[in-house]
Amino acid sequence: MDGATVAGLLAGAAIDAAVGDPRRGHPVAVFGSRAAALEKRIYRDSRWAGLAYTTVCVGAATAAGLLAERMTRARPIARTAVTAAATWAVLGGTTLGREGTLMAHSLQEGDLVAARARLPHLCGRDPSGLDAAELARGTVESIAENTSDAVVAPLVWGAVFGVPGLLGYRAVNTLDAMVGHRSPRYERFGWASARLDDVANYVPARLTALLTVGLAGLAGGSPRRAAAVLARDGHRHPSPNSGRCEAAFAGALGVRLGGANDYGGRVERRPELGDGPRPAVSDIPRSVRLARAVSYASVGLAVAARLALTRSRRRDRR
């Protein structure tokens, strides 16, 4: 079945590259709506309530993956199809790149109204008062962070644990986006979701940063400079993971990220990452190109990791 899993990972990544996310009935959106309904029923301003909520939601998604693998245990073609479908459902790299490209087009045309309307497709900041420079910064930062969250991390977990890893990770990351942010409502209830997301992304974020450093030349950057910025600034971000990705992108693109972000009246001031100027509109296509290269490299690494695990298991059986 490991060969079927590898084929499924490749097929799912290829489908995502070709068509991106489905416009209607996206499985992640369906999961989000069910999680939101559960939150309304069990919400309490308590870490214990939040822990129960996270356990139920992530457990259900992981159990669905385990059931799918059990049902296809002796059917390689079915296992390939199920893995491909799960991989396509959890990946978001192609849509991320498209959103970045659309943002660049809007800014190049000077259409701030359209650009501000598009920013919520990329991140949760309030776009109403942002100028072109801040919209460009938000776009580059979102592309950097989400290259890990939407591509590298699900592939890492899929390579190691198959369909349960794919679905379980996406559940964790979705809950973090829903309830894991700091606010009076979610300070305690969202604590478990936020911490679990930190754990789930620890290795993938650092892998994303290393791939970004290695591929910096494809965006006209210097791997040496990217590595230096990553080493110096990667730990300065309030997130233990996002800072690694953003610092690596900042160094690779030769720009300076960070600053004040307004999340609907809740302002967060982030340390500056990198040494260059603030991102310009022209830096958005470069970030999309870099993110795409990192995504393709992560597919190759996921396949290689799964094959290595297969060989290791075969040796153990002998």
Side-chain angles (χ1 to χ4, degrees):
M1 288 300 105
D2 283 324
T5 297
V6 167
L9 289 170
L10 284 170
I15 295 171
D16 179 70
V19 303
D21 293 337
R23 294 189 177 184
R24 294 183 179 180
H26 196 297
V28 176
V30 174
F31 171 82
S33 66
R34 299 293 185 271
L38 178 63
E39 179 196 341
K40 291 180 179 178
R41 296 184 61 183
I42 72 170
Y43 174 83
R44 301 288 187 279
D45 187 17
S46 160
R47 284 188 178 185
W48 288 109
L51 177 61
Y53 171 74
T54 302
T55 301
V56 170
C57 292
V58 176
T62 305
L66 288 169
L67 178 61
E69 290 210 336
R70 180 176 293 274
M71 293 177 64
T72 59
R73 179 180 295 173
R75 301 160 60 193
I77 294 176
R79 172 65 63 83
T80 299
V82 166
T83 305
T87 303
W88 177 37
V90 303
L91 291 182
T94 298
T95 298
L96 176 66
R98 287 177 182 171
E99 290 295 336
T101 300
L102 290 170
M103 174 66 81
H105 288 166
S106 295
L107 291 175
Q108 287 164 356
E109 294 172 0
D111 191 346
L112 280 180
V113 173
R116 287 168 178 163
R118 185 150 298 281
L119 189 66
H121 293 262
L122 289 160
C123 60
R125 300 175 198 177
D126 181 0
S128 59
L130 299 184
D131 59 13
E134 283 298 296
L135 289 166
R137 176 173 74 88
T139 300
V140 172
E141 290 176 352
S142 179
I143 288 171
E145 178 181 357
N146 284 297
T147 297
S148 178
D149 290 356
V151 184
V152 179
L155 287 171
V156 166
W157 286 97
V160 177
F161 295 111
V163 176
L166 291 165
L167 299 187
Y169 170 77
R170 180 49 62 205
V172 170
N173 191 244
T174 301
L175 292 183
D176 180 62
M178 293 174 63
V179 305
H181 48 85
R182 292 181 178 274
S183 68
R185 177 177 175 85
Y186 295 126
E187 183 71 29
R188 283 180 284 273
F189 184 81
W191 178 86
S193 293
R195 297 293 77 76
L196 185 58
D197 184 75
D198 288 343
V199 172
N201 282 292
Y202 188 88
V203 171
R206 284 149 183 82
L207 176 59
T208 301
L210 292 176
L211 289 174
T212 300
V213 168
L215 297 168
L218 297 179
S222 162
R224 179 176 294 181
R225 181 178 60 192
V229 173
L230 171 61
R232 188 192 68 195
D233 296 342
H235 66 283
R236 299 179 63 207
H237 196 282
S239 165
N241 299 318
S242 298
R244 268 65 182 186
C245 305
E246 292 185 19
F249 264 73
L253 299 172
V255 300
R256 180 164 41 93
L257 303 177
N261 299 334
D262 185 349
Y263 297 96
R266 179 173 55 88
V267 178
E268 294 185 6
R269 301 189 182 278
R270 306 281 176 82
E272 292 185 343
L273 311 175
D275 298 312
R278 289 295 188 182
V281 177
S282 59
D283 292 314
I284 297 177
R286 295 174 62 216
S287 70
V288 170
R289 187 163 64 249
L290 181 57
R292 187 175 293 121
V294 171
S295 299
Y296 292 157
S298 67
V299 173
L301 287 177
V303 169
R306 187 71 189 191
L307 291 174
L309 285 172
T310 301
R311 288 193 293 270
S312 176
R313 288 166 181 165
R314 287 174 178 170
R315 285 196 299 269
D316 291 342
R317 294 191 191 107
R318 291 173 184 171

